[in-house]
Amino acid sequence: MAGFLSTRAVLTDDDRRRLDLRRGDRVLVAATLADGRRLVATRLALHGLRDDAVVRTPWADVDRGSLDPETRTLTVRWVWGGSEAFVFGSDRPSVRFTQTFRERVQSSVVHATSVPLPGGAQARVALRRDEDGELFTQVVADDGVDLARPEVAALVDAAESDLRGSAGLPV
């Protein structure tokens, strides 16, 4: 119940309308960041609210995140590369939000495997669940890895085929 009350305090009725949640989605936790933006975790997506915009990112598009407890900064790495930092105004919302964030990202990952690549780099092949519950595979590589290089592509393709086959998906 306390989470519901704190969410109410952060989100106005107008904010809730602007989220335009899909059927079956609901707000799990919300927090106001140090810069005044609001960050909202719903069952299906991560939402960033500014006065003039709402940015919605499905959980399957989040590679990972980490919280620096000293600065209360949640750094989110996206599957397409790059990252974004979200600074919370106080400790309590940072911890509560980060716990929900972690749970939602993990819930979108059914299985993942690391693929060692030439030169010591790695790629991760994951079986993930999209917003509609459909399974798909996703490849995320370390920075600087060229997935189109033939020797890299062969290793990643083999791992992806194995993962898809073990899940009963077309190879």
Side-chain angles (χ1 to χ4, degrees):
M1 189 64 151
F4 178 75
L5 294 174
S6 67
T7 297
R8 274 271 179 225
V10 172
L11 294 178
T12 65
D13 289 339
D14 185 48
D15 286 339
R16 287 177 181 280
R17 280 190 295 277
R18 290 175 56 215
L19 288 175
D20 193 27
L21 299 179
R22 292 176 54 173
R23 183 182 175 102
D25 200 4
R26 67 181 175 90
V27 173
L28 301 174
V29 66
T32 300
L33 301 174
D35 64 6
R37 290 182 296 165
R38 275 92 57 221
L39 202 56
V40 181
T42 69
R43 282 188 60 251
L44 300 176
L46 175 66
H47 304 258
L49 284 87
R50 294 180 189 234
D51 292 334
D52 59 341
V54 176
V55 177
R56 180 182 185 284
T57 308
W59 291 114
D61 287 347
V62 177
D63 181 30
R64 64 184 177 268
S66 62
L67 178 68
D68 178 340
E70 297 291 320
T71 63
R72 296 178 309 276
T73 302
L74 173 64
T75 303
V76 177
R77 180 169 164 83
W78 311 109
V79 296
W80 55 82
S83 60
E84 189 168 352
F86 300 99
V87 181
F88 294 91
S90 64
D91 287 338
R92 188 169 179 196
S94 70
V95 172
R96 293 183 82 198
F97 194 93
T98 303
Q99 288 171 337
T100 302
F101 173 92
R102 183 173 192 263
E103 185 274 326
R104 296 318 308 160
V105 172
Q106 285 185 330
S107 74
S108 74
V109 179
V110 176
H111 183 75
T113 187
S114 292
V115 181
L117 301 173
Q122 288 198 354
R124 289 168 307 288
V125 179
L127 180 65
R128 293 192 82 168
R129 184 172 302 163
D130 69 14
E131 295 175 89
D132 298 318
E134 298 295 319
L135 296 177
F136 69 99
T137 52
Q138 183 178 71
V139 175
V140 178
D142 288 346
D143 290 335
V145 171
D146 180 0
L147 292 170
R149 280 185 41 212
E151 63 274 17
V152 170
L155 292 168
V156 171
D157 288 349
E160 186 175 15
S161 290
D162 287 348
L163 189 59
R164 292 181 68 80
S166 67
L169 296 175
V171 178

